[in-house]
């Protein structure tokens, strides 16, 4: 299957700082990328969908100004958690999909801990 | 509103026997269904999918069955192997109000294969 690389895999940051997570499609062009959040023992919750070159569309309840998403190229999307709080600690996962393909391929995930 | 449900949070199966994971959905607009396998602290891995126009899709040890009238799908793994122990997510694909296709995930079933 296609390869999606997510970086970093783990990050610890202080409250009030910002953290950027990168998601790259390594062997295909991802016209659409998705960002998910997973709480312990819960399902993957879609946060936002980003299409290359346009603004991300956020799911209800997700703060746009807190979770900044940029999809500047067909192979890279970034999620920036701004002014992080301990409650933002979670497992964040990106996925990418090629045009015309329904299967989405996932990155390895990023474990964010805000202290 | 949980549109995709996996009512069994866990399942234990003897090695070599058949594992059957179930998934129910409520939205009749879903047109594609996927199964993902996930290990702790990793992103999900795509396993198998099925279009809503089919009722069965087989790939090696994995078979997915779709019953549209019952809004139910199942994943069969036979024979089950210890390496199959993981959390399995059912996902359904459908268009959002913005016209994007997005995946809605179930809550997952933890499968444990007993040697």
């Amino acid at each position: 299957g296609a390869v999606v690389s997510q970086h970093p895999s783990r990050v610890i940051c202080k409250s009030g700082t910002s953290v950027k997570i990168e998601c790259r499609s390594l062997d295909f062009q991802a016209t659409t990328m998705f960002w998910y959040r997973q709480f312990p023992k819960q399902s993957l919750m879609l946060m936002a969908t980003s299409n290359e070159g346009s603004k991300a569309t956020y799911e209800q309840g997700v703060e746009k100004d807190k979770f900044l998403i940029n999809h500047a190229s067909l192979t890279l999307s970034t999620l920036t958690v701004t002014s992080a709080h301990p409650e933002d600690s979670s497992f964040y996962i990106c996925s990418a999909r090629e045009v015309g393909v329904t299967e989405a391929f996932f990155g390895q995930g990023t474990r964010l801990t805000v202290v | 509103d949980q549109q995709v449900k996996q009512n069994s949070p866990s399942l234990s199966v003897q090695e070599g026997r058949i594992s059957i994971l179930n998934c129910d959905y409520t939205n009749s607009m879903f047109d594609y269904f996927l199964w993902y396998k996930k290990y702790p602290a990793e992103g999900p891995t795509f396993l198998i999918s099925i279009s809503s126009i089919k009722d069965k899709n087989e790939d090696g040890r994995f078979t997915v069955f779709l019953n549209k009238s019952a809004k139910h799908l199942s994943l069969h793994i036979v024979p089950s192997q210890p390496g199959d122990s993981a959390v399995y997510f059912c996902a359904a694909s459908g268009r959002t109000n913005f016209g994007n296709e997005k995946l809605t995930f179930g809550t997952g079933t933890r499968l444990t294969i007993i040697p």
Side-chain angles (χ1 to χ4, degrees), chain A residues 5 10 30 32 36-37 40 42 61 67 80 84 88 92 95 110 112:
Chain A
S5 176
R10 288 179 177 271
T32 307
Y36 294 85
R37 182 173 178 176
Q42 293 191 27
F67 299 99
T80 302
D88 297 327
Y92 293 85
S95 74
T110 298
L112 170 64

Side-chain angles (χ1 to χ4, degrees), chain A residues 1-114:
Chain A
V3 179
V4 176
S5 176
Q6 188 174 338
H7 178 80
S9 58
R10 288 179 177 271
V11 58
I12 300 173
C13 71
K14 291 185 177 179
S15 290
T17 61
S18 295
V19 174
K20 181 185 281 189
I21 303 169
E22 292 189 349
C23 181
R24 294 182 185 273
S25 57
L26 298 187
D27 53 1
F28 67 100
Q29 293 188 326
T31 50
T32 307
M33 285 189 171
F34 305 87
W35 286 95
Y36 294 85
R37 182 173 178 176
Q38 185 184 28
F39 292 101
K41 298 183 179 180
Q42 293 191 27
S43 183
L44 298 165
M45 302 303 297
L46 179 65
M47 298 174 66
T49 303
S50 71
N51 293 300
E52 186 265 338
S54 61
K55 287 184 178 180
T57 54
Y58 290 79
E59 295 298 300
Q60 194 171 12
V62 178
E63 298 177 57
K64 302 178 185 183
D65 295 331
K66 181 164 188 61
F67 299 99
L68 301 179
I69 291 172
N70 184 281
H71 191 165
S73 77
L74 285 172
T75 59
L76 174 64
S77 176
T78 60
L79 166 68
T80 302
V81 183
T82 62
S83 187
H85 289 156
E87 55 264 32
D88 297 327
S89 298
S90 190
F91 191 60
Y92 293 85
I93 309 173
C94 74
S95 74
R97 189 165 64 202
E98 198 171 4
V99 65
V101 178
T102 302
E103 290 87 357
F105 296 93
F106 286 79
Q108 306 95 315
T110 298
R111 169 70 60 193
L112 170 64
T113 304
V114 184

Side-chain angles (χ1 to χ4, degrees), chain B residues 78-114:
Chain B
V78 57
S80 300
Q81 299 173 355
D84 296 330
S85 296
V87 177
Y88 289 78
F89 287 97
C90 161
S93 178
R95 290 201 177 270
T96 70
N97 292 334
F98 300 103
N100 289 313
E101 273 195 61
K102 74 170 192 178
L103 294 180
T104 302
F105 283 84
T107 48
T109 296
R110 179 175 300 281
L111 176 64
T112 303
I113 304 303
I114 305 165

